[in-house]
Amino acid sequence: MERKLQVVVTGASSGIGYWTAYRFAVDHGADVIAMGRRANQLESLRKKVLEVGVKGKIHPIQIDLEEAENDSIYNNVYNHFKSVDILINNAGVLIKKPLLEITRLDLERTYRVNTFSQVSIVQALFPLIREGGTKHIINISSIGGILGTQKFSGLSAYSSSKGAVGILTECMAEELKEFDIKVNGLAFGAVQTEMLSSAFPGYIAPISDVDISRFVVDFAINGHQYFNGKVLPVSSSNP
């Protein structure tokens, strides 16, 4: 009997994380721990997968990775999985403010969610990822976090935090390679999500969160065979 994929997706309450968790469960029959802050959205995701009648399953975990301790992250996952094949570090926040109005609290919150939490969850789940099959960590970044790309007013905190994710991805890959754990980043351009709509009302992105989730899942399952320590731009537009 083929072993089911065991996947952890953060930021699964909405957007890319929500549909990525859905695709893993529905298209690949995976068991997915869906982490997020909004319990009602996670429960909606669980029921949506259940209604399809597939072998995959959603395990909702309401957690705020901005504040969660490593022990809490580990225990929540270990209650369901004894190993993790794939980790999708997708949780993120976007605070749109002009540079001269950004506060230290804005910067700290942005970096805690977008950058620091990725370190915490990898530290917390390392013992389980080491025991996994695929052993692939995907850090979600942004085109705005890549040097030399077009930048937009109001996104200094967001884009710089995502730039840090890119370097962090390279460092993670180097430090974890001795355990045969692969780490890659996906730097997205504009994707139609709740977060984008809130920051840029009226703007319509060229690709939806539903569509991009298919790419995330495929890359997570297969990309580790070809890439390690790479941050790949994924965009059909500028941004």
Side-chain angles (χ1 to χ4, degrees), residues 14-90:
S14 65
I16 296 170
Y18 183 99
W19 289 107
T20 295
Y22 178 86
R23 289 292 168 202
F24 269 119
V26 171
D27 296 350
H28 297 277
D31 283 345
V32 184
I33 288 178
M35 291 185 173
R37 286 177 290 188
R38 289 182 284 178
N40 61 326
Q41 290 292 94
L42 296 175
E43 181 59 18
S44 166
L45 172 61
R46 187 190 71 82
K47 289 180 177 178
K48 186 187 289 286
V49 169
L50 197 60
E51 289 167 0
V52 177
V54 294
K55 293 181 179 178
K57 185 176 181 181
I58 298 292
H59 304 276
I61 292 180
Q62 183 184 20
I63 190 169
D64 186 351
L65 293 176
E66 183 181 355
E67 305 293 343
E69 298 292 337
N70 288 13
D71 286 349
S72 174
I73 296 170
Y74 175 85
N75 290 334
N76 270 288
V77 174
Y78 190 75
N79 285 338
H80 300 282
F81 296 165
K82 301 306 180 275
S83 65
V84 171
D85 296 303
I86 294 169
L87 166 63
I88 308 293
N89 264 325
N90 169 74

Side-chain angles (χ1 to χ4, degrees), residues 104-142:
R104 181 180 291 272
L105 289 178
D106 293 330
L107 286 167
E108 288 175 349
R109 180 170 185 238
T110 301
Y111 274 79
R112 278 199 303 269
V113 176
N114 294 356
T115 313
F116 302 162
S117 73
Q118 295 196 1
V119 176
S120 295
I121 197 165
V122 169
Q123 289 175 336
L125 299 186
F126 167 73
L128 303 181
I129 298 170
R130 184 175 54 185
E131 298 302 318
T134 310
K135 299 182 184 180
H136 197 189
I137 298 170
I138 306 293
N139 296 328
I140 301 302
S141 184
S142 169

Side-chain angles (χ1 to χ4, degrees), residues 125-200:
L125 299 186
F126 167 73
L128 303 181
I129 298 170
R130 184 175 54 185
E131 298 302 318
T134 310
K135 299 182 184 180
H136 197 189
I137 298 170
I138 306 293
N139 296 328
I140 301 302
S141 184
S142 169
I143 286 288
I146 294 179
L147 192 66
T149 59
Q150 183 178 1
K151 301 299 185 288
F152 294 87
S153 296
L155 299 187
S156 295
Y158 178 79
S159 293
S160 62
S161 72
K162 291 298 189 177
V165 166
I167 300 301
L168 181 61
T169 297
E170 295 176 347
C171 293
M172 280 186 182
E174 178 63 27
E175 295 209 30
L176 298 179
K177 68 182 181 182
E178 66 177 288
F179 305 102
D180 198 30
I181 296 173
K182 304 294 177 63
V183 188
N184 289 296
L186 296 176
F188 293 133
V191 177
Q192 197 63 45
T193 63
E194 182 181 315
M195 187 168 72
L196 181 77
S197 296
S198 177
F200 297 93

